[in-house]
């Protein structure tokens, strides 16, 4: 992944489990001050620079967090030394943490800032060019002071906590947004003008604009999501029309490709049919003219395409190739982007055509849940097959044999996509209960049943685990598992 010049605003993303551990340490109920160090990866994009919390080191009172010589408390020299050397060696960002009283507003004291001026130039020297900084927490607020290699100081704009629900913490509460457009009156009766403002400020990525992806895109745009980025490498086919929301006979050049037409004419029709992303963009702009849509006629497995998704706030995977799953999984954990994988499958006997199984799935995938590798949802042998077979990779069938076209209907895709987008809505607007289930959902329409699968997590996983070699929160330091060049 290419690195970029750090741009403002600067923000912090912290997984929910880490935040719970940090809050329990900082606010145990004694009203006193406590300390810690957060170690973070970093990514810089045109939307700003994000610090990605990777590790948390809690300072033990009386051993690592001591009475201060010029202030109330301070981290011990040995505790700082070990962490800053670790950051230097791993090319990560050092963030010292302490807490103040209060709830919704917080700021560094004059003593805090004087301590930064005394100590941070030396820390920058040790860190060999990596930023260093400090965070101060109140119960519902976070402020940050980040020092860059040239001595420039930048404030932390906000901290995004990837819990249930997702929270955004700032140094002070934001002013109430203006009343939402009357178009969203029924929305704001559910989650208020602030919730609609949150949706308008999000960038959401959708990988795949076929049966499930087109429905997700339609729902997100009608919810008022402000920025959609969509990638799909395929053109619409006449057999896609019953399932792809917003598609028309004209998009598929149906009069050229129907049975009975000369083969050369059918090939011409398929060659010039509309890309699925063009249909998706049209659907989104019709539903939300004020929204921004980036439609990429390309494959997420190519580096130039995947790069466009690293600053998303949420991701949906609606393509079922193993290569797409691999890149989506890496984006989620390398850049701490919560998301969802959706799909539907109809298994039929290849000889008789008898329907053997029908189901739709929605799987939440977040930095705190086990990744797709941990849960056996990325198949190594299929990855190898897709790497050498362009036809299979582009077909994205729901069966292993690319010559067999699986049965599919829009209603199966609708089941999974509706649950995924509804979960997204409740998570980002604060409606999701903090005790909400994190299980994978499998819908079995033939028996009117729903099955729940608890995600598994391997702490030693090289994607989502906590080992020194894992991809987790590495940001721009790691390369996504993509093809580096788009085929010509």
């Amino acid at each position: 992944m290419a690195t970029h010049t750090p741009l403002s605003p600067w923000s912090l993303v912290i997984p929910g489990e880490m935040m719970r551990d940090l809050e329990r340490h900082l606010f145990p109920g004694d009203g006193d001050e406590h300390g810690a160090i957060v170690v973070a990866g970093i990514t810089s994009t045109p939307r700003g620079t994000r610090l990605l919390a990777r590790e948390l080191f809690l300072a033990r009172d009386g051993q690592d967090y001591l009475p201060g010589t010029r202030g109330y408390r301070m981290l011990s020299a040995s505790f700082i030394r070990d962490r800053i050397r670790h950051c230097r060696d791993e090319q990560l960002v050092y963030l010292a943490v302490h807490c103040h009283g209060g709830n919704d507003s917080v700021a560094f004291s004059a003593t805090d800032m004087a301590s930064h001026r005394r100590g941070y130039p030396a820390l920058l020297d040790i860190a060999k060019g990596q930023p260093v900084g400090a965070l101060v927490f109140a119960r519902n607020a976070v402020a940050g002071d980040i020092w860059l290699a040239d001595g420039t100081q930048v404030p932390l704009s906000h901290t995004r906590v990837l819990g249930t629900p997702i929270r955004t913490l700032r140094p002070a509460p934001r002013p109430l947004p203006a009343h939402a457009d009357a178009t969203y009156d029924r929305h704001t009766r559910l989650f208020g003008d602030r919730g609609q403002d949150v949706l308008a400020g999000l960038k959401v990525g959708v990988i795949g604009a076929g049966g499930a992806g087109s429905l997700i895109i339609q729902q997100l745009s009608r919810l008022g999501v402000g920025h959609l980025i969509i990638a799909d490498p395929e053109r619409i086919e006449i057999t896609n029309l019953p399932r792809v929301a917003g598609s028309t006979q004209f998009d598929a050049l149906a009069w050229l490709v129907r049975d009975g037409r000369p083969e050369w004419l059918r090939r011409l029709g398929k060659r010039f049919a509309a890309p699925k992303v063009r249909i998706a963009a049209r659907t989104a702009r019709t539903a939300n003219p004020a929204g921004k849509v980036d439609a990429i006629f390309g494959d997420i497995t190519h580096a130039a395409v995947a790069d466009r998704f690293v600053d998303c706030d949420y991701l949906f995977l609606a393509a079922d190739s193993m290569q797409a799953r691999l890149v989506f999984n890496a984006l989620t954990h390398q850049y701490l982007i919560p998301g969802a994988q959706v799909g539907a499958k109809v298994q039929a006997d290849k000889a008789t055509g008898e329907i053997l199984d029908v189901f739709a799935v929605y799987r939440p995938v977040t930095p705190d849940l086990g990744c797709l590798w941990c849960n056996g949802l990325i198949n190594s042998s299929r990855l190898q097959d897709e790497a050498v077979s362009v036809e299979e990779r582009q077909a994205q069938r729901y069966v292993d044999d690319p010559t067999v076209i699986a049965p599919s209907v829009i209603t199966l895709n609708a089941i999974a996509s509706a649950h995924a987008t509804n979960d997204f809505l409740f998570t980002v607007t604060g409606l999701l209960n903090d005790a909400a289930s994190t299980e994978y959902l499998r819908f079995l329409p033939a028996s009117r049943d729903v099955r729940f699968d608890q995600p598994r997590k391997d702490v030693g996983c090289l994607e989502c685990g906590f080992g020194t070699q894992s991809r987790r929160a590495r940001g721009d330091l790691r390369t996504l598992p993509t093809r580096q060049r788009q085929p010509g």
Side-chain angles (χ1 to χ4, degrees):
M1 185 64 57
T3 57
H4 309 274
T5 301
L7 298 174
S8 293
W10 284 63
S11 62
L12 170 68
V13 182
I14 183 167
E17 287 184 3
M18 183 185 293
M19 186 65 172
R20 284 191 292 273
D21 290 343
L22 181 56
E23 287 179 320
R24 280 194 291 265
H25 178 71
L26 294 179
F27 305 107
D30 60 2
D32 206 350
E33 182 178 301
H34 303 278
I37 291 174
V38 168
V39 172
I42 188 170
T43 180
S44 294
T45 75
R47 291 184 76 206
T49 301
R50 291 182 181 180
L51 301 174
L52 310 167
R54 174 176 163 83
E55 298 173 83
L56 172 64
F57 299 93
L58 302 176
R60 296 164 295 179
D61 292 329
Q63 293 179 266
D64 306 316
Y65 204 56
L66 306 169
T69 55
R70 302 189 186 184
Y72 179 55
R73 292 282 174 90
M74 67 178 187
L75 293 169
S76 72
S78 61
F79 191 68
I80 294 172
R81 179 198 63 215
D82 292 345
R83 305 292 97 74
I84 193 66
R85 287 177 176 175
H86 174 64
C87 290
R88 176 198 63 197
D89 295 343
E90 296 292 325
Q91 294 181 274
L92 297 169
V93 178
Y94 167 98
L95 299 168
V97 178
H98 73 287
C99 61
H100 286 178
N103 290 307
D104 300 323
S105 299
V106 71
F108 292 102
S109 68
T111 301
D112 292 334
M113 297 305 287
S115 138
H116 300 174
R117 289 190 293 272
R118 287 193 304 271
Y120 283 12
L123 291 182
L124 284 171
D125 285 342
I126 298 171
K128 302 296 184 184
Q130 287 297 109
V132 301
L135 308 172
V136 59
F137 282 72
R139 285 197 172 272
N140 299 308
V142 181
D145 179 32
I146 313 300
W147 285 57
L148 308 186
D150 62 1
T152 302
Q153 292 174 255
V154 292
L156 197 69
S157 167
H158 62 277
T159 296
R160 195 161 184 253
V161 182
L162 304 182
T164 50
I166 292 173
R167 294 184 291 155
T168 299
L169 305 179
R170 304 177 187 277
R174 296 180 73 183
L176 288 173
H179 287 301
D181 187 317
T183 304
Y184 300 109
D185 175 69
R186 300 290 286 273
H187 289 183
T188 57
R189 293 170 187 265
L190 175 63
F191 44 72
D193 291 328
R194 193 177 291 280
Q196 194 64 52
D197 187 57
V198 167
L199 289 168
L202 294 178
K203 179 180 180 181
V204 177
V206 184
I207 302 166
S214 65
L215 291 168
I216 290 169
I217 291 159
Q218 184 179 69
Q219 291 162 5
L220 293 173
S221 56
R222 291 192 179 279
L223 286 173
V225 170
H227 188 175
L228 293 177
I229 180 167
I230 309 159
D232 193 296
E234 295 185 345
R235 295 180 183 273
I236 194 78
E237 296 182 6
I238 192 169
T239 58
N240 303 146
L241 295 178
R243 301 186 312 283
V244 175
S247 63
T248 67
Q249 297 278 322
F250 182 83
D251 292 321
L253 301 179
W255 64 92
L256 297 180
V257 300
R258 291 193 183 281
D259 292 343
R261 297 294 192 187
E263 184 59 31
W264 68 269
L265 196 58
R266 296 178 68 185
R267 286 199 303 267
L268 191 67
K270 291 180 180 180
R271 180 179 178 183
F272 290 101
K276 289 179 180 178
V277 289
R278 185 190 302 168
I279 299 167
R282 182 180 68 210
T283 298
R285 291 180 180 122
T286 299
N288 181 14
K292 180 179 180 180
V293 183
D294 295 334
I296 304 172
F297 184 34
D299 196 322
I300 191 66
T301 66
H302 296 116
V305 177
D307 275 352
R308 301 278 299 276
F309 285 77
V310 301
D311 61 351
C312 285
D313 300 303
Y314 207 93
L315 291 173
F316 289 89
L317 174 62
D320 202 41
S321 75
M322 289 298 124
Q323 291 278 349
R325 289 188 185 190
L326 185 72
V327 176
F328 164 82
N329 195 63
L331 284 165
T332 295
H333 298 285
Q334 185 171 329
Y335 291 95
L336 301 185
I337 307 172
Q341 186 250 330
V342 299
K345 188 169 186 177
V346 180
Q347 290 181 319
D349 186 282
K350 295 177 183 179
T352 66
E354 178 186 358
I355 300 302
L356 304 176
D357 196 11
V358 181
F359 62 87
V361 294
Y362 154 50
R363 300 179 178 110
V365 184
T366 77
D368 281 334
L369 300 178
C371 74
L372 297 182
W373 275 113
C374 290
N375 288 275
L377 296 169
I378 297 177
N379 184 296
S380 297
S381 63
R382 280 191 61 187
L383 273 176
Q384 292 176 345
D385 290 342
E386 291 174 5
V388 298
S389 171
V390 175
E391 292 79 9
E392 181 173 344
R393 185 173 67 250
Q394 291 179 340
Q396 294 184 354
R397 303 302 186 195
Y398 293 106
V399 292
D400 292 332
D401 184 351
T403 66
V404 177
I405 299 175
S408 184
V409 292
I410 193 172
T411 50
L412 287 175
N413 292 323
I415 292 170
S417 63
H419 278 274
T421 50
N422 193 65
D423 222 22
F424 156 80
L425 173 66
F426 273 58
T427 298
V428 301
T429 59
L431 294 174
L432 191 68
N433 189 295
D434 60 8
S437 165
T438 58
E439 292 152 312
Y440 295 164
L441 301 183
R442 178 183 294 253
F443 306 94
L444 307 172
S447 59
R448 302 183 72 185
D449 194 10
V450 180
R451 302 284 173 83
F452 300 89
D453 299 318
Q454 186 62 47
R456 301 184 300 273
K457 184 166 186 173
D458 178 1
V459 295
C461 176
L462 293 178
E463 296 292 309
C464 67
F466 294 90
T468 57
Q469 299 302 312
S470 78
R471 183 183 299 278
R472 181 183 177 91
R474 289 286 185 174
D476 292 340
L477 282 178
R478 291 292 295 271
T479 300
L480 288 168
T482 57
R483 301 173 179 87
Q484 296 304 303
R485 296 183 61 218
Q486 184 93 16

Short mmCIF file of all heavy atoms in Angstrom, two decimals, residues 133-162:
data_model
loop_
_atom_site.label_atom_id
_atom_site.label_comp_id
_atom_site.label_asym_id
_atom_site.label_seq_id
_atom_site.Cartn_x
_atom_site.Cartn_y
_atom_site.Cartn_z
N GLY A 133 2.38 11.24 20.46
CA GLY A 133 1.32 12.13 20.92
C GLY A 133 0.74 11.71 22.24
O GLY A 133 1.23 10.79 22.91
N ALA A 134 -0.31 12.42 22.61
CA ALA A 134 -0.98 12.18 23.89
C ALA A 134 -2.48 12.24 23.68
O ALA A 134 -2.99 12.95 22.80
CB ALA A 134 -0.54 13.21 24.92
N LEU A 135 -3.18 11.48 24.51
CA LEU A 135 -4.65 11.48 24.54
C LEU A 135 -5.09 11.74 25.96
O LEU A 135 -4.52 11.19 26.91
CB LEU A 135 -5.20 10.13 24.09
CG LEU A 135 -4.72 9.55 22.76
CD1 LEU A 135 -5.24 8.12 22.59
CD2 LEU A 135 -5.20 10.42 21.61
N VAL A 136 -6.12 12.55 26.12
CA VAL A 136 -6.73 12.74 27.43
C VAL A 136 -8.22 12.43 27.30
O VAL A 136 -8.89 12.89 26.38
CB VAL A 136 -6.49 14.16 27.99
CG1 VAL A 136 -7.03 15.25 27.07
CG2 VAL A 136 -7.07 14.29 29.39
N PHE A 137 -8.70 11.61 28.23
CA PHE A 137 -10.07 11.10 28.18
C PHE A 137 -10.91 11.68 29.30
O PHE A 137 -10.46 11.80 30.44
CB PHE A 137 -10.08 9.57 28.35
CG PHE A 137 -9.69 8.80 27.11
CD1 PHE A 137 -8.38 8.79 26.66
CD2 PHE A 137 -10.64 8.07 26.41
CE1 PHE A 137 -8.01 8.06 25.55
CE2 PHE A 137 -10.30 7.35 25.29
CZ PHE A 137 -8.99 7.34 24.85
N ALA A 138 -12.14 12.03 28.99
CA ALA A 138 -13.23 12.10 29.96
C ALA A 138 -14.14 10.93 29.62
O ALA A 138 -13.87 10.15 28.71
CB ALA A 138 -13.96 13.43 29.86
N ARG A 139 -15.24 10.78 30.32
CA ARG A 139 -16.07 9.59 30.08
C ARG A 139 -16.65 9.55 28.68
O ARG A 139 -16.77 8.48 28.09
CB ARG A 139 -17.18 9.51 31.13
CG ARG A 139 -16.67 9.06 32.48
CD ARG A 139 -17.79 8.58 33.38
NE ARG A 139 -17.25 7.98 34.61
CZ ARG A 139 -16.92 6.70 34.73
NH1 ARG A 139 -17.03 5.89 33.70
NH2 ARG A 139 -16.46 6.23 35.87
N ASN A 140 -17.01 10.70 28.13
CA ASN A 140 -17.61 10.74 26.79
C ASN A 140 -16.90 11.74 25.88
O ASN A 140 -17.53 12.34 25.01
CB ASN A 140 -19.10 11.10 26.89
CG ASN A 140 -19.90 10.09 27.68
OD1 ASN A 140 -19.83 8.88 27.42
ND2 ASN A 140 -20.63 10.56 28.68
N ALA A 141 -15.60 11.91 26.09
CA ALA A 141 -14.85 12.88 25.28
C ALA A 141 -13.39 12.46 25.23
O ALA A 141 -12.87 11.83 26.15
CB ALA A 141 -14.98 14.29 25.87
N VAL A 142 -12.73 12.81 24.13
CA VAL A 142 -11.30 12.54 23.95
C VAL A 142 -10.67 13.73 23.24
O VAL A 142 -11.23 14.22 22.24
CB VAL A 142 -11.04 11.27 23.12
CG1 VAL A 142 -9.54 11.03 22.98
CG2 VAL A 142 -11.72 10.06 23.73
N ALA A 143 -9.53 14.20 23.73
CA ALA A 143 -8.72 15.20 23.03
C ALA A 143 -7.36 14.59 22.76
O ALA A 143 -6.89 13.71 23.49
CB ALA A 143 -8.59 16.47 23.86
N GLY A 144 -6.70 15.04 21.70
CA GLY A 144 -5.39 14.52 21.35
C GLY A 144 -4.45 15.61 20.90
O GLY A 144 -4.87 16.60 20.29
N ASP A 145 -3.16 15.43 21.19
CA ASP A 145 -2.10 16.35 20.78
C ASP A 145 -1.04 15.51 20.10
O ASP A 145 -0.33 14.74 20.75
CB ASP A 145 -1.54 17.07 22.01
CG ASP A 145 -0.40 18.03 21.67
OD1 ASP A 145 -0.43 18.60 20.56
OD2 ASP A 145 0.51 18.20 22.52
N ILE A 146 -0.94 15.62 18.77
CA ILE A 146 -0.04 14.77 17.99
C ILE A 146 1.15 15.60 17.52
O ILE A 146 0.98 16.69 16.96
CB ILE A 146 -0.77 14.17 16.76
CG1 ILE A 146 -2.13 13.59 17.18
CG2 ILE A 146 0.10 13.13 16.08
CD1 ILE A 146 -2.06 12.48 18.20
N TRP A 147 2.36 15.07 17.73
CA TRP A 147 3.58 15.74 17.32
C TRP A 147 4.17 15.00 16.12
O TRP A 147 4.34 13.78 16.15
CB TRP A 147 4.60 15.73 18.47
CG TRP A 147 4.28 16.72 19.55
CD1 TRP A 147 3.13 16.81 20.28
CD2 TRP A 147 5.13 17.76 20.04
NE1 TRP A 147 3.20 17.83 21.19
CE2 TRP A 147 4.43 18.43 21.07
CE3 TRP A 147 6.42 18.18 19.72
CZ2 TRP A 147 4.97 19.50 21.76
CZ3 TRP A 147 6.98 19.25 20.42
CH2 TRP A 147 6.26 19.90 21.43
N LEU A 148 4.51 15.76 15.07
CA LEU A 148 5.08 15.19 13.86
C LEU A 148 6.60 15.34 13.87
O LEU A 148 7.16 16.05 14.71
CB LEU A 148 4.48 15.87 12.63
CG LEU A 148 2.95 15.91 12.57
CD1 LEU A 148 2.49 16.48 11.23
CD2 LEU A 148 2.35 14.54 12.81
N ALA A 149 7.26 14.69 12.93
CA ALA A 149 8.72 14.62 12.93
C ALA A 149 9.37 16.00 12.89
O ALA A 149 10.46 16.20 13.44
CB ALA A 149 9.20 13.78 11.76
N ASP A 150 8.71 16.96 12.24
CA ASP A 150 9.30 18.30 12.13
C ASP A 150 8.94 19.19 13.32
O ASP A 150 9.24 20.39 13.32
CB ASP A 150 8.85 18.98 10.83
CG ASP A 150 7.35 19.17 10.75
OD1 ASP A 150 6.63 18.80 11.71
OD2 ASP A 150 6.88 19.70 9.73
N GLY A 151 8.31 18.62 14.34
CA GLY A 151 7.91 19.37 15.52
C GLY A 151 6.55 20.01 15.43
O GLY A 151 6.07 20.61 16.41
N THR A 152 5.88 19.89 14.27
CA THR A 152 4.52 20.42 14.12
C THR A 152 3.57 19.67 15.06
O THR A 152 3.66 18.45 15.22
CB THR A 152 4.04 20.24 12.67
OG1 THR A 152 4.93 20.92 11.81
CG2 THR A 152 2.63 20.79 12.50
N GLN A 153 2.65 20.41 15.67
CA GLN A 153 1.62 19.82 16.51
C GLN A 153 0.28 19.89 15.80
O GLN A 153 -0.07 20.93 15.23
CB GLN A 153 1.51 20.56 17.85
CG GLN A 153 2.72 20.39 18.76
CD GLN A 153 2.59 21.28 19.98
OE1 GLN A 153 3.25 22.32 20.08
NE2 GLN A 153 1.72 20.88 20.90
N VAL A 154 -0.46 18.80 15.82
CA VAL A 154 -1.80 18.78 15.23
C VAL A 154 -2.77 18.21 16.25
O VAL A 154 -2.44 17.29 17.00
CB VAL A 154 -1.85 17.95 13.93
CG1 VAL A 154 -1.05 18.62 12.82
CG2 VAL A 154 -1.37 16.53 14.15
N PRO A 155 -3.96 18.77 16.33
CA PRO A 155 -4.96 18.25 17.27
C PRO A 155 -5.65 17.01 16.70
O PRO A 155 -5.66 16.79 15.49
CB PRO A 155 -5.95 19.40 17.41
CG PRO A 155 -5.89 20.09 16.07
CD PRO A 155 -4.46 19.96 15.60
N LEU A 156 -6.21 16.22 17.57
CA LEU A 156 -7.03 15.09 17.16
C LEU A 156 -8.46 15.59 16.97
O LEU A 156 -9.06 16.17 17.88
CB LEU A 156 -6.99 14.00 18.23
CG LEU A 156 -7.44 12.60 17.83
CD1 LEU A 156 -6.45 11.98 16.86
CD2 LEU A 156 -7.60 11.71 19.07
N SER A 157 -8.99 15.39 15.77
CA SER A 157 -10.34 15.84 15.46
C SER A 157 -11.39 15.05 16.23
O SER A 157 -12.30 15.61 16.84
CB SER A 157 -10.60 15.72 13.96
OG SER A 157 -11.96 15.86 13.65
N HIS A 158 -11.26 13.71 16.21
CA HIS A 158 -12.25 12.87 16.87
C HIS A 158 -11.69 11.46 17.03
O HIS A 158 -10.70 11.10 16.40
CB HIS A 158 -13.56 12.82 16.08
CG HIS A 158 -13.44 12.24 14.71
ND1 HIS A 158 -13.02 12.97 13.62
CD2 HIS A 158 -13.64 10.97 14.25
CE1 HIS A 158 -12.99 12.20 12.55
NE2 HIS A 158 -13.36 10.98 12.90
N THR A 159 -12.34 10.69 17.87
CA THR A 159 -12.01 9.28 18.08
C THR A 159 -13.24 8.46 17.76
O THR A 159 -14.32 8.72 18.29
CB THR A 159 -11.56 9.04 19.53
OG1 THR A 159 -10.35 9.75 19.77
CG2 THR A 159 -11.35 7.55 19.79
N ARG A 160 -13.07 7.47 16.89
CA ARG A 160 -14.18 6.60 16.50
C ARG A 160 -14.02 5.26 17.21
O ARG A 160 -13.02 4.57 17.04
CB ARG A 160 -14.19 6.41 14.98
CG ARG A 160 -15.46 5.84 14.42
CD ARG A 160 -15.55 6.13 12.93
NE ARG A 160 -16.81 5.66 12.39
CZ ARG A 160 -16.94 4.59 11.61
NH1 ARG A 160 -15.87 3.88 11.27
NH2 ARG A 160 -18.13 4.22 11.16
N VAL A 161 -15.00 4.90 18.02
CA VAL A 161 -14.97 3.67 18.80
C VAL A 161 -15.84 2.64 18.11
O VAL A 161 -17.06 2.83 17.98
CB VAL A 161 -15.46 3.92 20.24
CG1 VAL A 161 -15.36 2.63 21.05
CG2 VAL A 161 -14.66 5.03 20.90
N LEU A 162 -15.24 1.53 17.68
CA LEU A 162 -15.96 0.53 16.90
C LEU A 162 -16.62 -0.49 17.81
O LEU A 162 -16.35 -1.70 17.76
CB LEU A 162 -15.00 -0.16 15.93
CG LEU A 162 -14.23 0.76 14.98
CD1 LEU A 162 -13.36 -0.05 14.04
CD2 LEU A 162 -15.18 1.65 14.20
#
